[in-house]
Amino acid sequence: MSSPSPAKLIELATAYQRSKILFALIRFGVPTLLAGGPRSLGEIASDLGVDVLAAHRFLNACAELGLLIRVGDGFRNAPEAQRFLVRGAPDYLGDAFHRYERASVSDAWAQFDRSLRAWHSGGARGPLSTELAPTGDEIEGHHRLSLLTGNALGGALDLTGHRRLLDLGGGTGAMSIALCRRFPALEAIVLELPAITAQTRAHVRDSGLDRIAVREGDFVAEPLPEGSDVVLLANVLSMLDREAIRALLVRVYEHLAPGGRIVLSGWMLDDDKSGPLLPTLLSLEDITLGAPDVERSAEQYAGWLARAGFVDIERAMYFEPTSYVSGLKPAQMS
């Protein structure tokens, strides 16, 4: 019988090495180099300007992590690398991962233990840190990721019959763009803060969709634009405190006409709030940034929708780790 091993603890302690390998793979452009098919170890080492022995260890580590696949004495892309890490491909997400690389060396995470001790639910310790907000090419990467998410949402939730979407805090407009592409009769209004709307308008213009309007405003504090029959809140609720969310859901309910729909989307927790891991880590990052609250479970959001008056509430994970919770305002009001 073998002795107990600390191997799992060592794996956790060296997790940073795994992410560094991913980031190096992206910076070197290895998936783009292998986009046309497998290459030999020597060819890859030469193209990267790396010693063959160092390249051998690096590429084998990539293979062990599921990023590459060994082919004889060479390597080819694993399916995820082929789809998401080939620069120039429609679904390229390499830029989005730059943000995680910055986070790994950020002041916010360097002070995580201190932040954990200082944080209290409902009481932000000061202005929310913007240290890890996406910048530059990272924004474009997150836009492509949101396009994928929006397309998945359109496949999971049928919006046929709805005519106008109000996308609150819609960022670059990616979710609205994806949903309007999937549902040709759907129009959309993206409501965002003034600092974002120039980028939003550029992406909407590039999409070629004249059914999407962009408006400036603060959906938490200001009246909502009239005329929508479906309201989307994607990736914007996790850092609001519960009273602000409950008040917002009531406002959306009052805003919608009978039969209107609300859709919440984000990295939500399981019902017992013990996982999944990625939403749990996101909650801890919110704490490091000084958010007044952290992500909740889909069950909790569903309960708040019911309390606001919504019915026919449904929820599901539709694009791992992203879930949605949706409800309808009763068509017949008593």
Side-chain angles (χ1 to χ4, degrees), residues 301-330:
Y301 284 125
W304 288 348
L305 289 186
R307 180 175 175 176
F310 291 98
V311 298
D312 296 334
I313 296 169
E314 57 183 88
R315 54 194 177 96
M317 181 179 288
Y318 70 94
F319 188 64
E320 188 178 3
T322 309
S323 298
Y324 77 81
V325 181
S326 179
L328 296 175
K329 184 171 182 176

mmCIF file of all heavy atoms in Angstrom, residues 301-330:
data_model
loop_
_atom_site.group_PDB
_atom_site.id
_atom_site.type_symbol
_atom_site.label_atom_id
_atom_site.label_comp_id
_atom_site.label_asym_id
_atom_site.label_seq_id
_atom_site.Cartn_x
_atom_site.Cartn_y
_atom_site.Cartn_z
ATOM 1 N N TYR A 301 -31.676 33.999 -7.288
ATOM 2 C CA TYR A 301 -32.201 34.934 -8.275
ATOM 3 C C TYR A 301 -33.640 34.577 -8.641
ATOM 4 O O TYR A 301 -34.495 35.462 -8.794
ATOM 5 C CB TYR A 301 -31.331 34.937 -9.527
ATOM 6 C CG TYR A 301 -30.031 35.684 -9.384
ATOM 7 C CD1 TYR A 301 -28.808 35.067 -9.655
ATOM 8 C CD2 TYR A 301 -30.004 37.019 -8.990
ATOM 9 C CE1 TYR A 301 -27.609 35.755 -9.533
ATOM 10 C CE2 TYR A 301 -28.803 37.715 -8.872
ATOM 11 C CZ TYR A 301 -27.613 37.071 -9.141
ATOM 12 O OH TYR A 301 -26.425 37.758 -9.021
ATOM 13 N N ALA A 302 -33.916 33.275 -8.792
ATOM 14 C CA ALA A 302 -35.281 32.850 -9.115
ATOM 15 C C ALA A 302 -36.252 33.272 -8.023
ATOM 16 O O ALA A 302 -37.377 33.717 -8.300
ATOM 17 C CB ALA A 302 -35.320 31.335 -9.317
ATOM 18 N N GLY A 303 -35.836 33.150 -6.769
ATOM 19 C CA GLY A 303 -36.682 33.573 -5.664
ATOM 20 C C GLY A 303 -36.953 35.066 -5.694
ATOM 21 O O GLY A 303 -38.072 35.518 -5.413
ATOM 22 N N TRP A 304 -35.954 35.853 -6.028
ATOM 23 C CA TRP A 304 -36.135 37.304 -6.102
ATOM 24 C C TRP A 304 -37.056 37.680 -7.266
ATOM 25 O O TRP A 304 -37.846 38.621 -7.143
ATOM 26 C CB TRP A 304 -34.791 37.997 -6.253
ATOM 27 C CG TRP A 304 -33.973 37.956 -4.996
ATOM 28 C CD1 TRP A 304 -34.394 37.598 -3.741
ATOM 29 C CD2 TRP A 304 -32.584 38.291 -4.870
ATOM 30 N NE1 TRP A 304 -33.358 37.680 -2.840
ATOM 31 C CE2 TRP A 304 -32.235 38.108 -3.500
ATOM 32 C CE3 TRP A 304 -31.607 38.725 -5.744
ATOM 33 C CZ2 TRP A 304 -30.954 38.349 -3.011
ATOM 34 C CZ3 TRP A 304 -30.326 38.959 -5.274
ATOM 35 C CH2 TRP A 304 -30.003 38.772 -3.913
ATOM 36 N N LEU A 305 -36.971 36.942 -8.384
ATOM 37 C CA LEU A 305 -37.890 37.197 -9.492
ATOM 38 C C LEU A 305 -39.324 36.907 -9.065
ATOM 39 O O LEU A 305 -40.252 37.682 -9.367
ATOM 40 C CB LEU A 305 -37.524 36.355 -10.709
ATOM 41 C CG LEU A 305 -36.257 36.724 -11.482
ATOM 42 C CD1 LEU A 305 -36.137 35.878 -12.744
ATOM 43 C CD2 LEU A 305 -36.226 38.192 -11.834
ATOM 44 N N ALA A 306 -39.523 35.793 -8.382
ATOM 45 C CA ALA A 306 -40.868 35.448 -7.919
ATOM 46 C C ALA A 306 -41.398 36.507 -6.956
ATOM 47 O O ALA A 306 -42.574 36.896 -7.016
ATOM 48 C CB ALA A 306 -40.854 34.073 -7.251
ATOM 49 N N ARG A 307 -40.535 36.972 -6.076
ATOM 50 C CA ARG A 307 -40.935 38.000 -5.111
ATOM 51 C C ARG A 307 -41.331 39.288 -5.823
ATOM 52 O O ARG A 307 -42.225 40.010 -5.363
ATOM 53 C CB ARG A 307 -39.785 38.249 -4.142
ATOM 54 C CG ARG A 307 -40.069 39.298 -3.072
ATOM 55 C CD ARG A 307 -38.919 39.372 -2.086
ATOM 56 N NE ARG A 307 -39.095 40.450 -1.114
ATOM 57 C CZ ARG A 307 -38.276 40.677 -0.102
ATOM 58 N NH1 ARG A 307 -37.216 39.903 0.075
ATOM 59 N NH2 ARG A 307 -38.502 41.676 0.728
ATOM 60 N N ALA A 308 -40.693 39.588 -6.944
ATOM 61 C CA ALA A 308 -41.029 40.786 -7.714
ATOM 62 C C ALA A 308 -42.322 40.632 -8.493
ATOM 63 O O ALA A 308 -42.865 41.624 -8.996
ATOM 64 C CB ALA A 308 -39.883 41.135 -8.671
ATOM 65 N N GLY A 309 -42.823 39.388 -8.643
ATOM 66 C CA GLY A 309 -44.080 39.148 -9.338
ATOM 67 C C GLY A 309 -43.981 38.309 -10.587
ATOM 68 O O GLY A 309 -45.002 37.979 -11.205
ATOM 69 N N PHE A 310 -42.764 37.931 -11.001
ATOM 70 C CA PHE A 310 -42.602 37.144 -12.219
ATOM 71 C C PHE A 310 -43.068 35.701 -12.006
ATOM 72 O O PHE A 310 -42.987 35.160 -10.893
ATOM 73 C CB PHE A 310 -41.139 37.153 -12.676
ATOM 74 C CG PHE A 310 -40.672 38.492 -13.178
ATOM 75 C CD1 PHE A 310 -39.960 39.357 -12.351
ATOM 76 C CD2 PHE A 310 -40.953 38.890 -14.475
ATOM 77 C CE1 PHE A 310 -39.541 40.597 -12.797
ATOM 78 C CE2 PHE A 310 -40.531 40.138 -14.936
ATOM 79 C CZ PHE A 310 -39.829 40.994 -14.102
ATOM 80 N N VAL A 311 -43.543 35.089 -13.089
ATOM 81 C CA VAL A 311 -44.024 33.713 -13.042
ATOM 82 C C VAL A 311 -43.326 32.893 -14.131
ATOM 83 O O VAL A 311 -42.532 33.430 -14.901
ATOM 84 C CB VAL A 311 -45.559 33.650 -13.234
ATOM 85 C CG1 VAL A 311 -46.275 34.396 -12.107
ATOM 86 C CG2 VAL A 311 -45.951 34.235 -14.596
ATOM 87 N N ASP A 312 -43.649 31.599 -14.181
ATOM 88 C CA ASP A 312 -43.057 30.689 -15.179
ATOM 89 C C ASP A 312 -41.538 30.818 -15.197
ATOM 90 O O ASP A 312 -40.902 30.911 -16.262
ATOM 91 C CB ASP A 312 -43.613 30.954 -16.578
ATOM 92 C CG ASP A 312 -45.107 30.672 -16.674
ATOM 93 O OD1 ASP A 312 -45.597 29.845 -15.877
ATOM 94 O OD2 ASP A 312 -45.781 31.285 -17.521
ATOM 95 N N ILE A 313 -40.954 30.801 -14.017
ATOM 96 C CA ILE A 313 -39.513 31.020 -13.890
ATOM 97 C C ILE A 313 -38.762 29.741 -14.245
ATOM 98 O O ILE A 313 -39.116 28.646 -13.791
ATOM 99 C CB ILE A 313 -39.171 31.473 -12.463
ATOM 100 C CG1 ILE A 313 -39.835 32.839 -12.191
ATOM 101 C CG2 ILE A 313 -37.661 31.568 -12.262
ATOM 102 C CD1 ILE A 313 -39.784 33.272 -10.746
ATOM 103 N N GLU A 314 -37.758 29.878 -15.073
ATOM 104 C CA GLU A 314 -36.916 28.749 -15.457
ATOM 105 C C GLU A 314 -35.452 29.141 -15.332
ATOM 106 O O GLU A 314 -35.111 30.323 -15.410
ATOM 107 C CB GLU A 314 -37.230 28.292 -16.880
ATOM 108 C CG GLU A 314 -37.098 29.378 -17.941
ATOM 109 C CD GLU A 314 -37.490 28.887 -19.320
ATOM 110 O OE1 GLU A 314 -38.681 28.964 -19.658
ATOM 111 O OE2 GLU A 314 -36.585 28.411 -20.054
ATOM 112 N N ARG A 315 -34.616 28.151 -15.142
ATOM 113 C CA ARG A 315 -33.184 28.418 -14.988
ATOM 114 C C ARG A 315 -32.395 27.226 -15.477
ATOM 115 O O ARG A 315 -32.845 26.086 -15.387
ATOM 116 C CB ARG A 315 -32.844 28.723 -13.527
ATOM 117 C CG ARG A 315 -33.295 27.667 -12.530
ATOM 118 C CD ARG A 315 -33.208 28.227 -11.104
ATOM 119 N NE ARG A 315 -33.686 27.304 -10.090
ATOM 120 C CZ ARG A 315 -32.925 26.492 -9.370
ATOM 121 N NH1 ARG A 315 -31.605 26.484 -9.567
ATOM 122 N NH2 ARG A 315 -33.430 25.698 -8.466
ATOM 123 N N ALA A 316 -31.190 27.501 -16.004
ATOM 124 C CA ALA A 316 -30.353 26.415 -16.520
ATOM 125 C C ALA A 316 -28.958 26.950 -16.782
ATOM 126 O O ALA A 316 -28.767 28.143 -17.052
ATOM 127 C CB ALA A 316 -30.932 25.839 -17.809
ATOM 128 N N MET A 317 -27.961 26.065 -16.685
ATOM 129 C CA MET A 317 -26.634 26.404 -17.185
ATOM 130 C C MET A 317 -26.650 26.148 -18.689
ATOM 131 O O MET A 317 -26.957 25.051 -19.138
ATOM 132 C CB MET A 317 -25.548 25.554 -16.512
ATOM 133 C CG MET A 317 -24.140 25.896 -16.985
ATOM 134 S SD MET A 317 -22.826 24.924 -16.186
ATOM 135 C CE MET A 317 -22.835 25.642 -14.535
ATOM 136 N N TYR A 318 -26.337 27.166 -19.467
ATOM 137 C CA TYR A 318 -26.476 27.039 -20.915
ATOM 138 C C TYR A 318 -25.156 27.162 -21.667
ATOM 139 O O TYR A 318 -25.070 26.816 -22.852
ATOM 140 C CB TYR A 318 -27.477 28.061 -21.444
ATOM 141 C CG TYR A 318 -27.015 29.504 -21.388
ATOM 142 C CD1 TYR A 318 -26.397 30.103 -22.484
ATOM 143 C CD2 TYR A 318 -27.221 30.281 -20.249
ATOM 144 C CE1 TYR A 318 -25.986 31.422 -22.436
ATOM 145 C CE2 TYR A 318 -26.809 31.610 -20.205
ATOM 146 C CZ TYR A 318 -26.199 32.178 -21.283
ATOM 147 O OH TYR A 318 -25.789 33.486 -21.250
ATOM 148 N N PHE A 319 -24.120 27.704 -21.026
ATOM 149 C CA PHE A 319 -22.825 27.875 -21.698
ATOM 150 C C PHE A 319 -21.789 27.884 -20.590
ATOM 151 O O PHE A 319 -21.432 28.930 -20.075
ATOM 152 C CB PHE A 319 -22.823 29.195 -22.492
ATOM 153 C CG PHE A 319 -21.623 29.396 -23.391
ATOM 154 C CD1 PHE A 319 -21.384 28.554 -24.452
ATOM 155 C CD2 PHE A 319 -20.752 30.465 -23.188
ATOM 156 C CE1 PHE A 319 -20.295 28.750 -25.298
ATOM 157 C CE2 PHE A 319 -19.662 30.672 -24.016
ATOM 158 C CZ PHE A 319 -19.440 29.814 -25.073
ATOM 159 N N GLU A 320 -21.342 26.708 -20.199
ATOM 160 C CA GLU A 320 -20.509 26.533 -19.002
ATOM 161 C C GLU A 320 -19.391 27.569 -18.923
ATOM 162 O O GLU A 320 -18.667 27.762 -19.893
ATOM 163 C CB GLU A 320 -19.913 25.126 -18.999
ATOM 164 C CG GLU A 320 -19.201 24.771 -17.727
ATOM 165 C CD GLU A 320 -18.653 23.342 -17.727
ATOM 166 O OE1 GLU A 320 -18.788 22.647 -18.751
ATOM 167 O OE2 GLU A 320 -18.070 22.941 -16.705
ATOM 168 N N PRO A 321 -19.299 28.309 -17.785
ATOM 169 C CA PRO A 321 -20.062 28.162 -16.545
ATOM 170 C C PRO A 321 -21.234 29.141 -16.428
ATOM 171 O O PRO A 321 -21.644 29.472 -15.319
ATOM 172 C CB PRO A 321 -19.007 28.481 -15.491
ATOM 173 C CG PRO A 321 -18.203 29.576 -16.122
ATOM 174 C CD PRO A 321 -18.166 29.264 -17.600
ATOM 175 N N THR A 322 -21.772 29.625 -17.549
ATOM 176 C CA THR A 322 -22.803 30.659 -17.530
ATOM 177 C C THR A 322 -24.198 30.046 -17.425
ATOM 178 O O THR A 322 -24.526 29.105 -18.149
ATOM 179 C CB THR A 322 -22.724 31.523 -18.792
ATOM 180 O OG1 THR A 322 -21.382 31.982 -18.970
ATOM 181 C CG2 THR A 322 -23.646 32.711 -18.694
ATOM 182 N N SER A 323 -25.016 30.612 -16.545
ATOM 183 C CA SER A 323 -26.400 30.183 -16.365
ATOM 184 C C SER A 323 -27.351 31.340 -16.648
ATOM 185 O O SER A 323 -26.948 32.511 -16.640
ATOM 186 C CB SER A 323 -26.637 29.693 -14.930
ATOM 187 O OG SER A 323 -25.832 28.574 -14.620
ATOM 188 N N TYR A 324 -28.596 31.001 -16.881
ATOM 189 C CA TYR A 324 -29.625 32.038 -16.993
ATOM 190 C C TYR A 324 -30.778 31.719 -16.053
ATOM 191 O O TYR A 324 -31.014 30.564 -15.685
ATOM 192 C CB TYR A 324 -30.141 32.184 -18.431
ATOM 193 C CG TYR A 324 -31.118 31.126 -18.886
ATOM 194 C CD1 TYR A 324 -32.482 31.199 -18.540
ATOM 195 C CD2 TYR A 324 -30.715 30.057 -19.671
ATOM 196 C CE1 TYR A 324 -33.384 30.230 -18.954
ATOM 197 C CE2 TYR A 324 -31.609 29.087 -20.089
ATOM 198 C CZ TYR A 324 -32.942 29.186 -19.734
ATOM 199 O OH TYR A 324 -33.827 28.211 -20.134
ATOM 200 N N VAL A 325 -31.478 32.776 -15.650
ATOM 201 C CA VAL A 325 -32.742 32.669 -14.927
ATOM 202 C C VAL A 325 -33.709 33.591 -15.649
ATOM 203 O O VAL A 325 -33.383 34.758 -15.907
ATOM 204 C CB VAL A 325 -32.611 33.091 -13.446
ATOM 205 C CG1 VAL A 325 -33.949 32.933 -12.738
ATOM 206 C CG2 VAL A 325 -31.543 32.283 -12.746
ATOM 207 N N SER A 326 -34.871 33.083 -16.002
ATOM 208 C CA SER A 326 -35.824 33.865 -16.783
ATOM 209 C C SER A 326 -37.219 33.745 -16.190
ATOM 210 O O SER A 326 -37.575 32.709 -15.619
ATOM 211 C CB SER A 326 -35.840 33.383 -18.235
ATOM 212 O OG SER A 326 -36.783 34.113 -19.004
ATOM 213 N N GLY A 327 -37.997 34.807 -16.298
ATOM 214 C CA GLY A 327 -39.369 34.796 -15.832
ATOM 215 C C GLY A 327 -40.237 35.714 -16.680
ATOM 216 O O GLY A 327 -39.741 36.573 -17.415
ATOM 217 N N LEU A 328 -41.547 35.518 -16.584
ATOM 218 C CA LEU A 328 -42.505 36.298 -17.350
ATOM 219 C C LEU A 328 -43.368 37.139 -16.417
ATOM 220 O O LEU A 328 -43.715 36.703 -15.308
ATOM 221 C CB LEU A 328 -43.406 35.378 -18.167
ATOM 222 C CG LEU A 328 -42.767 34.532 -19.269
ATOM 223 C CD1 LEU A 328 -43.800 33.603 -19.868
ATOM 224 C CD2 LEU A 328 -42.156 35.434 -20.349
ATOM 225 N N LYS A 329 -43.726 38.316 -16.879
ATOM 226 C CA LYS A 329 -44.767 39.075 -16.201
ATOM 227 C C LYS A 329 -46.099 38.496 -16.634
ATOM 228 O O LYS A 329 -46.323 38.293 -17.847
ATOM 229 C CB LYS A 329 -44.670 40.551 -16.581
ATOM 230 C CG LYS A 329 -45.658 41.436 -15.841
ATOM 231 C CD LYS A 329 -45.364 42.908 -16.104
ATOM 232 C CE LYS A 329 -46.327 43.825 -15.336
ATOM 233 N NZ LYS A 329 -45.983 45.251 -15.512
ATOM 234 N N PRO A 330 -47.003 38.165 -15.723
ATOM 235 C CA PRO A 330 -48.257 37.497 -16.111
ATOM 236 C C PRO A 330 -48.974 38.254 -17.229
ATOM 237 O O PRO A 330 -49.064 39.484 -17.209
ATOM 238 C CB PRO A 330 -49.066 37.505 -14.813
ATOM 239 C CG PRO A 330 -48.055 37.542 -13.735
ATOM 240 C CD PRO A 330 -46.924 38.388 -14.267
#
